[in-house]
Amino acid sequence: MATTTDWNPVLRAELAKPYFAELRAFVDDERRQHAVYPPAEEVFAALHLTPYEEVKVMILGQDPYHGPGQAHGLCFSVRPGVEVPPSLANIHAEMESDLGLPRPDHGCLDAWARQGVLLLNATLTVRARQAASHQKHGWETFTDAVIQAVDAKPEPVVFLLWGSSARKKKALIDTSRHTVIESPHPSPLSAHRGFFGSRPFSRANAALEAAGREPVDWRIPPLAERDA
């Protein structure tokens, strides 16, 4: 497990700490005994696709999807051709309501990641079909360090915190410099309690523009454009 791009110097000290060696050993052992998602080469996909210098929005998830073929290293995202999970379908619905954009015909959010939207889960691996199975083994310490590194950026960043787990991370963010937009989680269990109607995408862009930064084009290109 290794990061790449300009995150290396930012996280080098974290990667050298004893807990991270223990975490690597734990995940390696899990992979020897069980199916683990996402594949090893995609564990750090969020950091690969969104360089540190380019981060302007951060969306924090909790666990990777634990079904076969779903997780690919970006929170809430699935590869094209994979059935869109319920939480992501609700994100699409809110995007349509908020911005008037058509609902995409797939669930891959890499177009956001390539624009500076860091799509990070708090835990970066999971055992197949066992939600939360890799929590409290060190990933949260590592991803808290990522959040703190983003918080340390001199440019204003927008943090989208959906659900109680993500909202607890607000304590790591300097809200005098950055914008935090929080709401209930987009899952079917809680979306109707305040995620729907929260308009996170337009509010994020308004905050970016107010800070003199380029807004995000939240439109997700359809499969026909991706394949062209």
Side-chain angles (χ1 to χ4, degrees), residues 6 44 66 158 181 193:
D6 63 346
F44 294 106
H66 54 84
V158 179
I181 298 171
R193 299 177 193 157

Side-chain angles (χ1 to χ4, degrees), residues 21-217:
E22 294 171 6
L23 171 61
R24 289 184 61 172
F26 165 75
V27 174
D28 288 347
D29 188 56
E30 283 282 288
R31 289 194 188 279
R32 282 190 289 269
Q33 301 182 61
H34 309 279
V36 170
Y37 305 130
E41 65 273 14
E42 294 177 334
V43 169
F44 294 106
L47 305 182
H48 295 174
L49 285 176
T50 309
Y52 179 70
E53 285 299 318
E54 297 179 14
V55 176
K56 56 186 176 184
V57 176
M58 183 172 188
I59 300 178
L60 188 68
Q62 188 167 1
D63 250 17
Y65 295 122
H66 54 84
Q70 291 182 305
H72 69 119
L74 305 178
C75 72
F76 295 107
S77 179
V78 292
R79 289 193 177 282
V82 176
E83 183 178 358
V84 174
S87 291
L88 181 54
N90 287 339
I91 291 170
H92 287 171
E94 179 61 19
M95 185 179 70
E96 179 184 46
S97 172
D98 184 8
L99 302 174
L101 295 173
R103 297 192 196 192
D105 56 2
H106 64 91
C108 189
L109 304 180
D110 60 355
W112 294 358
R114 297 180 193 280
Q115 293 184 73
V117 180
L118 183 62
L119 298 164
L120 189 75
N121 277 312
T123 304
L124 297 188
T125 56
V126 67
R127 188 187 297 180
R129 304 205 180 279
Q130 294 190 36
S133 50
H134 285 190
Q135 290 182 11
K136 300 181 180 178
H137 286 278
W139 277 129
E140 295 89 344
T141 303
F142 175 76
T143 54
D144 279 359
V146 174
I147 295 168
Q148 290 169 312
V150 173
D151 177 72
K153 285 172 62 73
E155 310 91 352
V157 174
V158 179
F159 292 82
L160 299 183
L161 306 181
W162 296 334
S164 58
S165 176
R167 294 168 86 168
K168 290 175 183 175
K169 305 298 183 180
K170 187 176 180 179
L172 302 175
I173 301 164
D174 181 353
T175 55
S176 70
R177 296 193 307 112
H178 304 299
T179 298
V180 174
I181 298 171
E182 51 185 318
S183 76
H185 196 275
S187 78
L189 294 174
S190 56
H192 290 280
R193 299 177 193 157
F195 176 76
F196 289 140
S198 63
R199 305 184 64 229
F201 308 106
S202 61
R203 290 167 66 195
N205 277 354
L208 290 170
E209 290 181 305
R213 307 198 71 183
E214 278 289 315
V216 175
D217 178 3

